[in-house]
mmCIF file of all heavy atoms in Angstrom:
data_model
loop_
_atom_site.group_PDB
_atom_site.id
_atom_site.type_symbol
_atom_site.label_atom_id
_atom_site.label_comp_id
_atom_site.label_asym_id
_atom_site.label_seq_id
_atom_site.Cartn_x
_atom_site.Cartn_y
_atom_site.Cartn_z
ATOM 1 N N GLU A 250 4.926 -15.307 -15.257
ATOM 2 C CA GLU A 250 4.241 -14.174 -15.903
ATOM 3 C C GLU A 250 3.139 -14.668 -16.826
ATOM 4 O O GLU A 250 3.342 -15.659 -17.545
ATOM 5 C CB GLU A 250 5.284 -13.338 -16.678
ATOM 6 C CG GLU A 250 4.842 -11.969 -17.038
ATOM 7 C CD GLU A 250 5.968 -11.161 -17.620
ATOM 8 O OE1 GLU A 250 7.130 -11.456 -17.327
ATOM 9 O OE2 GLU A 250 5.676 -10.198 -18.339
ATOM 10 N N GLY A 251 2.002 -13.965 -16.802
ATOM 11 C CA GLY A 251 0.893 -14.332 -17.668
ATOM 12 C C GLY A 251 -0.130 -15.287 -17.040
ATOM 13 O O GLY A 251 -1.150 -15.532 -17.618
ATOM 14 N N GLN A 252 0.224 -15.812 -15.861
ATOM 15 C CA GLN A 252 -0.744 -16.697 -15.171
ATOM 16 C C GLN A 252 -1.609 -15.931 -14.169
ATOM 17 O O GLN A 252 -1.044 -15.045 -13.493
ATOM 18 C CB GLN A 252 0.048 -17.816 -14.470
ATOM 19 C CG GLN A 252 0.678 -18.807 -15.364
ATOM 20 C CD GLN A 252 1.373 -19.908 -14.590
ATOM 21 O OE1 GLN A 252 1.723 -19.724 -13.414
ATOM 22 N NE2 GLN A 252 1.563 -21.074 -15.172
ATOM 23 N N ASN A 253 -2.854 -16.296 -14.044
ATOM 24 C CA ASN A 253 -3.634 -15.755 -12.961
ATOM 25 C C ASN A 253 -3.312 -16.522 -11.673
ATOM 26 O O ASN A 253 -2.930 -17.716 -11.725
ATOM 27 C CB ASN A 253 -5.102 -15.943 -13.264
ATOM 28 C CG ASN A 253 -5.609 -15.090 -14.386
ATOM 29 O OD1 ASN A 253 -4.873 -14.312 -14.928
ATOM 30 N ND2 ASN A 253 -6.867 -15.242 -14.747
ATOM 31 N N VAL A 254 -3.431 -15.841 -10.545
ATOM 32 C CA VAL A 254 -3.182 -16.529 -9.271
ATOM 33 C C VAL A 254 -4.152 -16.001 -8.254
ATOM 34 O O VAL A 254 -4.506 -14.793 -8.241
ATOM 35 C CB VAL A 254 -1.723 -16.268 -8.807
ATOM 36 C CG1 VAL A 254 -1.414 -14.798 -8.640
ATOM 37 C CG2 VAL A 254 -1.448 -17.026 -7.510
ATOM 38 N N THR A 255 -4.646 -16.885 -7.382
ATOM 39 C CA THR A 255 -5.651 -16.490 -6.373
ATOM 40 C C THR A 255 -5.033 -16.606 -4.980
ATOM 41 O O THR A 255 -4.493 -17.684 -4.602
ATOM 42 C CB THR A 255 -6.901 -17.372 -6.457
ATOM 43 O OG1 THR A 255 -7.515 -17.142 -7.755
ATOM 44 C CG2 THR A 255 -7.903 -16.996 -5.383
ATOM 45 N N LEU A 256 -5.175 -15.536 -4.253
ATOM 46 C CA LEU A 256 -4.707 -15.447 -2.855
ATOM 47 C C LEU A 256 -5.869 -15.666 -1.903
ATOM 48 O O LEU A 256 -6.903 -15.063 -2.099
ATOM 49 C CB LEU A 256 -4.019 -14.111 -2.579
ATOM 50 C CG LEU A 256 -2.598 -13.895 -3.038
ATOM 51 C CD1 LEU A 256 -2.474 -14.093 -4.565
ATOM 52 C CD2 LEU A 256 -2.096 -12.487 -2.628
ATOM 53 N N SER A 257 -5.657 -16.511 -0.944
ATOM 54 C CA SER A 257 -6.712 -16.837 0.005
ATOM 55 C C SER A 257 -6.733 -15.934 1.248
ATOM 56 O O SER A 257 -5.665 -15.579 1.748
ATOM 57 C CB SER A 257 -6.619 -18.288 0.432
ATOM 58 O OG SER A 257 -7.459 -18.613 1.494
ATOM 59 N N CYS A 258 -7.922 -15.589 1.723
ATOM 60 C CA CYS A 258 -8.060 -14.861 2.974
ATOM 61 C C CYS A 258 -9.329 -15.407 3.652
ATOM 62 O O CYS A 258 -10.421 -15.309 3.120
ATOM 63 C CB CYS A 258 -8.199 -13.371 2.745
ATOM 64 S SG CYS A 258 -8.417 -12.448 4.299
ATOM 65 N N GLU A 259 -9.153 -15.939 4.863
ATOM 66 C CA GLU A 259 -10.243 -16.507 5.612
ATOM 67 C C GLU A 259 -10.219 -15.916 7.033
ATOM 68 O O GLU A 259 -9.137 -15.788 7.628
ATOM 69 C CB GLU A 259 -10.117 -18.001 5.716
ATOM 70 C CG GLU A 259 -10.057 -18.765 4.394
ATOM 71 C CD GLU A 259 -11.429 -19.002 3.784
ATOM 72 O OE1 GLU A 259 -12.410 -19.083 4.579
ATOM 73 O OE2 GLU A 259 -11.522 -19.082 2.550
ATOM 74 N N GLN A 260 -11.415 -15.547 7.546
ATOM 75 C CA GLN A 260 -11.496 -15.067 8.931
ATOM 76 C C GLN A 260 -12.615 -15.759 9.668
ATOM 77 O O GLN A 260 -13.709 -16.005 9.075
ATOM 78 C CB GLN A 260 -11.657 -13.560 8.978
ATOM 79 C CG GLN A 260 -12.817 -12.996 8.127
ATOM 80 C CD GLN A 260 -14.016 -12.635 8.951
ATOM 81 O OE1 GLN A 260 -14.103 -12.832 10.142
ATOM 82 N NE2 GLN A 260 -15.031 -12.106 8.265
ATOM 83 N N ASN A 261 -12.403 -16.041 10.946
ATOM 84 C CA ASN A 261 -13.415 -16.650 11.804
ATOM 85 C C ASN A 261 -13.786 -15.696 12.930
ATOM 86 O O ASN A 261 -14.142 -16.144 13.999
ATOM 87 C CB ASN A 261 -12.986 -18.003 12.277
ATOM 88 C CG ASN A 261 -11.700 -17.946 13.103
ATOM 89 O OD1 ASN A 261 -11.187 -16.881 13.359
ATOM 90 N ND2 ASN A 261 -11.184 -19.102 13.480
ATOM 91 N N LEU A 262 -13.638 -14.408 12.676
ATOM 92 C CA LEU A 262 -13.926 -13.398 13.666
ATOM 93 C C LEU A 262 -15.358 -12.842 13.569
ATOM 94 O O LEU A 262 -15.753 -11.961 14.338
ATOM 95 C CB LEU A 262 -12.937 -12.231 13.481
ATOM 96 C CG LEU A 262 -11.479 -12.598 13.645
ATOM 97 C CD1 LEU A 262 -10.564 -11.484 13.109
ATOM 98 C CD2 LEU A 262 -11.171 -12.927 15.079
ATOM 99 N N ASN A 263 -16.127 -13.382 12.565
ATOM 100 C CA ASN A 263 -17.467 -12.906 12.319
ATOM 101 C C ASN A 263 -17.522 -11.414 11.919
ATOM 102 O O ASN A 263 -18.472 -10.707 12.213
ATOM 103 C CB ASN A 263 -18.379 -13.160 13.556
ATOM 104 C CG ASN A 263 -19.878 -13.116 13.152
ATOM 105 O OD1 ASN A 263 -20.231 -13.534 12.082
ATOM 106 N ND2 ASN A 263 -20.734 -12.620 14.061
ATOM 107 N N HIS A 264 -16.479 -10.976 11.274
ATOM 108 C CA HIS A 264 -16.425 -9.581 10.800
ATOM 109 C C HIS A 264 -17.149 -9.433 9.485
ATOM 110 O O HIS A 264 -17.062 -10.259 8.621
ATOM 111 C CB HIS A 264 -14.950 -9.148 10.631
ATOM 112 C CG HIS A 264 -14.230 -8.987 11.958
ATOM 113 N ND1 HIS A 264 -12.877 -8.679 11.997
ATOM 114 C CD2 HIS A 264 -14.673 -9.058 13.242
ATOM 115 C CE1 HIS A 264 -12.518 -8.588 13.280
ATOM 116 N NE2 HIS A 264 -13.586 -8.821 14.017
ATOM 117 N N ASP A 265 -17.829 -8.287 9.343
ATOM 118 C CA ASP A 265 -18.519 -8.048 8.103
ATOM 119 C C ASP A 265 -17.594 -7.512 6.980
ATOM 120 O O ASP A 265 -17.679 -7.893 5.848
ATOM 121 C CB ASP A 265 -19.661 -7.032 8.302
ATOM 122 C CG ASP A 265 -20.944 -7.694 8.852
ATOM 123 O OD1 ASP A 265 -21.122 -8.908 8.541
ATOM 124 O OD2 ASP A 265 -21.683 -7.021 9.525
ATOM 125 N N ALA A 266 -16.733 -6.589 7.366
ATOM 126 C CA ALA A 266 -15.908 -5.878 6.357
ATOM 127 C C ALA A 266 -14.574 -6.587 6.174
ATOM 128 O O ALA A 266 -13.932 -6.949 7.156
ATOM 129 C CB ALA A 266 -15.687 -4.434 6.779
ATOM 130 N N MET A 267 -14.159 -6.724 4.927
ATOM 131 C CA MET A 267 -12.895 -7.283 4.608
ATOM 132 C C MET A 267 -12.182 -6.470 3.539
ATOM 133 O O MET A 267 -12.870 -5.815 2.728
ATOM 134 C CB MET A 267 -13.029 -8.765 4.177
ATOM 135 C CG MET A 267 -13.539 -9.661 5.254
ATOM 136 S SD MET A 267 -13.567 -11.396 4.817
ATOM 137 C CE MET A 267 -11.807 -11.801 4.959
ATOM 138 N N TYR A 268 -10.848 -6.494 3.567
ATOM 139 C CA TYR A 268 -10.039 -5.632 2.706
ATOM 140 C C TYR A 268 -8.860 -6.373 2.119
ATOM 141 O O TYR A 268 -8.306 -7.294 2.738
ATOM 142 C CB TYR A 268 -9.434 -4.462 3.556
ATOM 143 C CG TYR A 268 -10.494 -3.593 4.195
ATOM 144 C CD1 TYR A 268 -11.164 -4.012 5.355
ATOM 145 C CD2 TYR A 268 -10.753 -2.319 3.681
ATOM 146 C CE1 TYR A 268 -12.120 -3.186 5.950
ATOM 147 C CE2 TYR A 268 -11.680 -1.467 4.286
ATOM 148 C CZ TYR A 268 -12.341 -1.917 5.410
ATOM 149 O OH TYR A 268 -13.274 -1.108 6.030
ATOM 150 N N TRP A 269 -8.423 -5.913 0.970
ATOM 151 C CA TRP A 269 -7.157 -6.324 0.361
ATOM 152 C C TRP A 269 -6.299 -5.082 0.137
ATOM 153 O O TRP A 269 -6.735 -4.132 -0.495
ATOM 154 C CB TRP A 269 -7.364 -7.074 -0.950
ATOM 155 C CG TRP A 269 -7.599 -8.547 -0.791
ATOM 156 C CD1 TRP A 269 -8.787 -9.185 -0.928
ATOM 157 C CD2 TRP A 269 -6.633 -9.541 -0.408
ATOM 158 N NE1 TRP A 269 -8.639 -10.538 -0.656
ATOM 159 C CE2 TRP A 269 -7.306 -10.746 -0.346
ATOM 160 C CE3 TRP A 269 -5.264 -9.504 -0.141
ATOM 161 C CZ2 TRP A 269 -6.684 -11.954 -0.050
ATOM 162 C CZ3 TRP A 269 -4.620 -10.706 0.170
ATOM 163 C CH2 TRP A 269 -5.337 -11.905 0.184
ATOM 164 N N TYR A 270 -5.035 -5.161 0.622
ATOM 165 C CA TYR A 270 -4.055 -4.137 0.390
ATOM 166 C C TYR A 270 -2.828 -4.726 -0.248
ATOM 167 O O TYR A 270 -2.479 -5.872 -0.028
ATOM 168 C CB TYR A 270 -3.636 -3.487 1.756
ATOM 169 C CG TYR A 270 -4.715 -2.661 2.415
ATOM 170 C CD1 TYR A 270 -5.561 -3.274 3.332
ATOM 171 C CD2 TYR A 270 -4.889 -1.351 2.152
ATOM 172 C CE1 TYR A 270 -6.573 -2.522 3.972
ATOM 173 C CE2 TYR A 270 -5.874 -0.588 2.772
ATOM 174 C CZ TYR A 270 -6.707 -1.201 3.682
ATOM 175 O OH TYR A 270 -7.676 -0.484 4.314
ATOM 176 N N ARG A 271 -2.192 -3.844 -0.979
ATOM 177 C CA ARG A 271 -0.882 -4.177 -1.578
ATOM 178 C C ARG A 271 0.146 -3.301 -0.909
ATOM 179 O O ARG A 271 -0.057 -2.108 -0.729
ATOM 180 C CB ARG A 271 -0.934 -3.922 -3.075
ATOM 181 C CG ARG A 271 0.390 -4.047 -3.775
ATOM 182 C CD ARG A 271 0.288 -3.733 -5.239
ATOM 183 N NE ARG A 271 1.614 -3.680 -5.779
ATOM 184 C CZ ARG A 271 1.991 -4.142 -6.968
ATOM 185 N NH1 ARG A 271 1.072 -4.755 -7.742
ATOM 186 N NH2 ARG A 271 3.209 -4.042 -7.396
ATOM 187 N N GLN A 272 1.298 -3.923 -0.560
ATOM 188 C CA GLN A 272 2.357 -3.124 0.081
ATOM 189 C C GLN A 272 3.632 -3.260 -0.762
ATOM 190 O O GLN A 272 4.120 -4.357 -1.019
ATOM 191 C CB GLN A 272 2.614 -3.624 1.495
ATOM 192 C CG GLN A 272 3.631 -2.764 2.253
ATOM 193 C CD GLN A 272 3.743 -3.081 3.693
ATOM 194 O OE1 GLN A 272 3.483 -4.153 4.164
ATOM 195 N NE2 GLN A 272 4.115 -2.095 4.513
ATOM 196 N N ASP A 273 4.128 -2.119 -1.176
ATOM 197 C CA ASP A 273 5.424 -2.037 -1.888
ATOM 198 C C ASP A 273 6.332 -1.123 -1.061
ATOM 199 O O ASP A 273 5.839 -0.206 -0.400
ATOM 200 C CB ASP A 273 5.245 -1.436 -3.277
ATOM 201 C CG ASP A 273 4.389 -2.330 -4.171
ATOM 202 O OD1 ASP A 273 4.895 -3.315 -4.652
ATOM 203 O OD2 ASP A 273 3.210 -2.012 -4.352
ATOM 204 N N PRO A 274 7.625 -1.321 -1.143
ATOM 205 C CA PRO A 274 8.530 -0.483 -0.343
ATOM 206 C C PRO A 274 8.332 0.984 -0.620
ATOM 207 O O PRO A 274 8.290 1.433 -1.752
ATOM 208 C CB PRO A 274 9.937 -0.950 -0.822
ATOM 209 C CG PRO A 274 9.707 -2.359 -1.310
ATOM 210 C CD PRO A 274 8.332 -2.357 -1.895
ATOM 211 N N GLY A 275 8.208 1.782 0.451
ATOM 212 C CA GLY A 275 8.054 3.212 0.334
ATOM 213 C C GLY A 275 6.693 3.699 -0.083
ATOM 214 O O GLY A 275 6.494 4.911 -0.226
ATOM 215 N N GLN A 276 5.754 2.780 -0.306
ATOM 216 C CA GLN A 276 4.448 3.199 -0.766
ATOM 217 C C GLN A 276 3.301 2.872 0.220
ATOM 218 O O GLN A 276 2.173 3.034 -0.101
ATOM 219 C CB GLN A 276 4.135 2.600 -2.128
ATOM 220 C CG GLN A 276 5.079 3.083 -3.213
ATOM 221 C CD GLN A 276 4.537 2.873 -4.600
ATOM 222 O OE1 GLN A 276 3.399 3.297 -4.870
ATOM 223 N NE2 GLN A 276 5.260 2.262 -5.474
ATOM 224 N N GLY A 277 3.657 2.391 1.350
ATOM 225 C CA GLY A 277 2.609 2.089 2.304
ATOM 226 C C GLY A 277 1.693 1.012 1.860
ATOM 227 O O GLY A 277 2.020 0.143 1.069
ATOM 228 N N LEU A 278 0.446 1.056 2.382
ATOM 229 C CA LEU A 278 -0.578 0.104 2.033
ATOM 230 C C LEU A 278 -1.533 0.751 1.053
ATOM 231 O O LEU A 278 -2.172 1.765 1.372
ATOM 232 C CB LEU A 278 -1.327 -0.362 3.276
ATOM 233 C CG LEU A 278 -0.688 -1.456 4.148
ATOM 234 C CD1 LEU A 278 0.551 -1.008 4.775
ATOM 235 C CD2 LEU A 278 -1.663 -1.900 5.208
ATOM 236 N N ARG A 279 -1.677 0.197 -0.091
ATOM 237 C CA ARG A 279 -2.642 0.713 -1.099
ATOM 238 C C ARG A 279 -3.829 -0.222 -1.191
ATOM 239 O O ARG A 279 -3.649 -1.428 -1.378
ATOM 240 C CB ARG A 279 -1.938 0.924 -2.408
ATOM 241 C CG ARG A 279 -0.856 2.050 -2.365
ATOM 242 C CD ARG A 279 -0.270 2.284 -3.702
ATOM 243 N NE ARG A 279 0.563 1.192 -4.165
ATOM 244 C CZ ARG A 279 0.953 1.059 -5.435
ATOM 245 N NH1 ARG A 279 0.637 1.951 -6.367
ATOM 246 N NH2 ARG A 279 1.741 0.059 -5.753
ATOM 247 N N LEU A 280 -4.990 0.347 -1.164
ATOM 248 C CA LEU A 280 -6.264 -0.421 -1.143
ATOM 249 C C LEU A 280 -6.601 -0.950 -2.510
ATOM 250 O O LEU A 280 -6.725 -0.158 -3.470
ATOM 251 C CB LEU A 280 -7.378 0.440 -0.578
ATOM 252 C CG LEU A 280 -8.748 -0.183 -0.430
ATOM 253 C CD1 LEU A 280 -8.674 -1.373 0.575
ATOM 254 C CD2 LEU A 280 -9.760 0.825 0.066
ATOM 255 N N ILE A 281 -6.797 -2.237 -2.601
ATOM 256 C CA ILE A 281 -7.170 -2.862 -3.885
ATOM 257 C C ILE A 281 -8.677 -3.015 -3.998
ATOM 258 O O ILE A 281 -9.288 -2.466 -4.924
ATOM 259 C CB ILE A 281 -6.496 -4.246 -4.038
ATOM 260 C CG1 ILE A 281 -4.983 -4.168 -3.843
ATOM 261 C CG2 ILE A 281 -6.823 -4.875 -5.371
ATOM 262 C CD1 ILE A 281 -4.304 -5.521 -3.790
ATOM 263 N N TYR A 282 -9.269 -3.741 -3.086
ATOM 264 C CA TYR A 282 -10.739 -3.910 -3.008
ATOM 265 C C TYR A 282 -11.143 -3.996 -1.551
ATOM 266 O O TYR A 282 -10.352 -4.387 -0.658
ATOM 267 C CB TYR A 282 -11.140 -5.236 -3.698
ATOM 268 C CG TYR A 282 -11.447 -5.134 -5.145
ATOM 269 C CD1 TYR A 282 -10.499 -5.462 -6.099
ATOM 270 C CD2 TYR A 282 -12.724 -4.736 -5.601
ATOM 271 C CE1 TYR A 282 -10.763 -5.415 -7.472
ATOM 272 C CE2 TYR A 282 -12.991 -4.665 -6.987
ATOM 273 C CZ TYR A 282 -12.001 -5.027 -7.896
ATOM 274 O OH TYR A 282 -12.294 -4.958 -9.237
ATOM 275 N N TYR A 283 -12.387 -3.688 -1.314
ATOM 276 C CA TYR A 283 -12.947 -3.906 0.033
ATOM 277 C C TYR A 283 -14.402 -4.316 -0.088
ATOM 278 O O TYR A 283 -15.072 -4.073 -1.091
ATOM 279 C CB TYR A 283 -12.785 -2.714 0.936
ATOM 280 C CG TYR A 283 -13.520 -1.451 0.560
ATOM 281 C CD1 TYR A 283 -14.617 -1.030 1.229
ATOM 282 C CD2 TYR A 283 -13.048 -0.662 -0.497
ATOM 283 C CE1 TYR A 283 -15.268 0.176 0.911
ATOM 284 C CE2 TYR A 283 -13.730 0.513 -0.877
ATOM 285 C CZ TYR A 283 -14.781 0.916 -0.162
ATOM 286 O OH TYR A 283 -15.463 2.072 -0.495
ATOM 287 N N SER A 284 -14.860 -4.997 0.984
ATOM 288 C CA SER A 284 -16.246 -5.524 0.970
ATOM 289 C C SER A 284 -16.827 -5.247 2.364
ATOM 290 O O SER A 284 -16.256 -5.632 3.319
ATOM 291 C CB SER A 284 -16.167 -7.049 0.686
ATOM 292 O OG SER A 284 -17.436 -7.605 0.964
#
Side-chain angles (χ1 to χ4, degrees):
Chain A
E250 196 171 336
Q252 290 182 336
N253 291 357
V254 59
T255 297
L256 281 58
S257 169
C258 179
E259 304 277 333
Q260 54 100 357
N261 60 4
L262 301 167
N263 200 34
H264 289 176
D265 277 332
M267 295 187 74
Y268 299 76
W269 274 105
Y270 291 92
R271 170 182 171 139
Q272 186 171 26
D273 298 283
Q276 297 201 51
L278 277 66
R279 293 185 291 166
L280 182 62
I281 306 173
Y282 271 97
Y283 64 108
S284 168

